[in-house]
Amino acid sequence: MRDDRPRLPGSPGFWRSPLRGPWFTSVLGVVLLAGVTVLFVTGLVSYAAYSPDLSPVNDQTPDKGLLGFYLFTWPTGPAWLYRLTQGVHVTLGITLVPVLLAKLWSVVPRLFALPPARSVTHALERISLLLLVGGGLFEFTTGVLNIQLQYVFPGSFYPLHFYGAWVFFAAFAAHAALKAPTALRALRRRPGLADDLVAPRPEPPTVTRRGALGLVGGGSLLLFVTTAGQSLGGSLRRTALLAPHGGADPGGGPNGFQINKTAGYAGITPADTHEDAWRLVVTGRTGTVRLSRAELLRLPQHSAALPIACVEGWSTADQWWRGVRLRDLAALVGHGGDPPDVFVESLQRHGAFRRAALRSGQTADPRSLLALYVNGEELSPDHGYPARIIVPAAPGVLNTKWVARLTFEDL
């Protein structure tokens, strides 16, 4: 029997799925409209949490220009704020992957439509679609790879994801503005209405459009269930099967909670942290002091229950930290009252965020500590022994481990 079906994707009748149509595409589009908007807002919030205008070490995005506008001073309360916003960003991004793929599948005939440009306006629309599709795939792919700690893309994730987000969301906003009225009209009308997405000679259906939407929703729900636990912590962490920081906490005891960067990975050796070798150098208005760990322990000690939350979306439950308040260390070098910003340097010699800057509001918060103990025990090497920063609501990378120097000044 002769097969007379078109063999080229640009030919009429090549795409024969009975599922495609304006109603199916519009349902997926409305879900993405809400979801991607939340992703963009929480992404901007995450950018603000790094205090990007405070010091170049906190934001190394080159030539960001107007795109790097500063939103607001990141607060220190509630202490779980970054845990919430970044947890939503990452978990929602993973959950939307099936919706994005289904949406692209539903409109793929239009990507091959001929002629490629019927007018200047149509050509501009096709170019915007390329930016939309390419930007969406780029952002979701790099985001998933970063969550999985797979840095196979060229360059640093931070500027790649930053610029990609602006390209994608600009194309997304333009597309939404143009297509939203059409999508709303399609949702009010019955499925199967004539449209260029509807196959002229469809194959016999094996599932209804509503059944297909249920399949997409089920995939999203499965990804949510196997990802969200890394942000929620506790016993739910074991459900985060797709997350590197899912499963049980590493080890046991007071230091038995999640670690992102180990001492071995950072090149920290026992010789670097031995009590005879390590000194904390604190510099400020009146000069410099050098403190051993024993001398730090003789200063007033304070405790705070704070989580650690990272850009990859994982976080810990509250841990009990004990150490010296940052504002008390600032007072040692002439900054009584309201302390200034602080520049923190680690013993770590290579890698991103071995140096970080904290705002004056963060140094002044009574819960901001140079921690020496956690959960009643000395910090382990992997958790930053002999001393680490812990600040409420700050991204994990700003809670510097293996601290060597604190410089209090207006940055």
Side-chain angles (χ1 to χ4, degrees):
M1 182 177 178
R2 182 180 176 183
D3 186 358
D4 60 352
R5 287 180 298 180
R7 298 183 180 278
L8 297 176
S11 303
F14 179 86
W15 306 98
R16 302 185 66 183
S17 172
L19 296 179
R20 289 191 179 93
W23 182 84
F24 184 75
T25 296
S26 296
V27 172
L28 297 171
V30 168
V31 174
L32 286 175
L33 176 62
V36 171
T37 301
V38 173
L39 286 181
F40 187 71
V41 170
T42 51
L44 284 179
V45 166
S46 179
Y47 182 68
Y50 281 77
S51 298
D53 70 335
L54 184 59
S55 172
V57 299
N58 283 15
D59 180 10
Q60 300 179 28
T61 307
D63 304 320
K64 58 186 178 180
L66 294 176
L67 297 182
F69 64 88
Y70 186 61
L71 294 171
F72 53 85
T73 299
W74 187 250
T76 56
W80 42 261
L81 180 61
Y82 189 75
R83 182 184 185 188
L84 172 65
T85 60
Q86 193 61 15
V88 168
H89 183 78
V90 169
T91 303
L92 180 60
I94 293 291
T95 302
L96 287 176
V97 167
V99 184
L100 175 69
L101 295 179
K103 168 71 171 178
L104 294 179
W105 174 85
S106 75
V107 298
V108 70
R110 286 179 177 165
L111 299 179
F112 294 94
L114 296 174
R118 296 189 296 269
S119 65
V120 173
T121 302
H122 184 244
L124 292 175
E125 182 181 351
R126 295 296 293 273
I127 292 172
S128 71
L129 283 176
L130 288 177
L131 293 175
L132 176 66
V133 173
L137 290 175
F138 179 83
E139 283 299 284
F140 276 81
T141 300
T142 55
V144 170
L145 288 173
N146 182 63
I147 294 164
Q148 296 298 322
L149 310 180
Q150 299 295 321
Y151 304 111
V152 297
F153 34 78
S156 169
F157 165 79
Y158 191 88
L160 287 174
H161 205 67
F162 176 85
Y163 286 120
W166 281 110
V167 171
F168 169 55
F169 194 77
F172 178 82
H175 183 75
L178 290 171
K179 297 296 184 181
T182 302
L184 292 175
R185 284 196 299 270
L187 290 174
R188 295 191 192 103
R189 298 154 80 180
R190 70 182 188 279
L193 203 66
D195 184 85
D196 62 337
L197 290 175
V198 177
R201 292 187 297 163
E203 298 279 5
T206 57
V207 65
T208 66
R209 288 185 174 89
R210 295 183 187 277
L213 289 175
L215 183 63
V216 173
S220 291
L221 179 61
L222 179 63
L223 289 176
F224 174 82
V225 169
T226 54
T227 302
Q230 69 167 347
S231 300
L232 300 173
S235 60
L236 291 176
R237 185 180 298 280
R238 295 177 181 273
T239 66
L241 303 177
L242 299 182
H245 291 281
D249 288 334
N255 278 274
F257 56 95
Q258 293 294 323
I259 299 165
N260 202 15
K261 187 185 300 180
T262 66
Y265 176 87
I268 306 298
T269 67
D272 297 320
T273 59
H274 192 274
E275 61 182 9
D276 293 332
W278 181 83
R279 294 293 183 274
L280 174 69
V281 179
V282 184
T283 300
R285 180 184 297 148
T286 57
T288 298
V289 297
R290 296 169 60 89
L291 299 167
S292 67
R293 198 168 190 279
E295 289 171 322
L296 285 169
L297 288 170
R298 288 195 288 270
L299 295 175
Q301 303 291 299
H302 299 272
S303 297
L306 299 172
I308 295 175
C310 283
V311 70
E312 295 93 358
W314 67 269
S315 59
T316 72
D318 285 352
Q319 311 296 324
W320 276 101
W321 307 91
R322 187 165 178 80
V324 183
R325 287 175 174 168
L326 293 183
R327 68 185 190 185
D328 292 344
L329 291 169
L332 290 179
V333 288
H335 297 286
D338 294 330
D341 310 322
V342 62
F343 186 67
V344 185
E345 298 175 77
S346 172
L347 290 173
Q348 182 182 344
R349 298 175 183 86
H350 306 286
F353 291 101
R354 64 186 182 276
R355 295 175 294 174
L358 298 173
R359 281 207 169 274
S360 57
Q362 293 173 309
T363 60
D365 193 293
R367 298 167 295 175
S368 296
L369 304 176
L370 180 75
L372 307 172
Y373 286 82
V374 63
N375 299 322
E377 186 176 278
E378 281 188 349
L379 296 168
S380 68
D382 287 342
H383 280 301
Y385 180 88
R388 69 168 296 162
I389 297 293
I390 187 71
V391 172
V397 290
L398 299 185
N399 291 308
T400 308
K401 297 193 284 189
W402 314 294
V403 175
R405 179 183 291 269
L406 299 173
T407 303
F408 290 94
E409 59 183 350
D410 293 324
L411 299 174

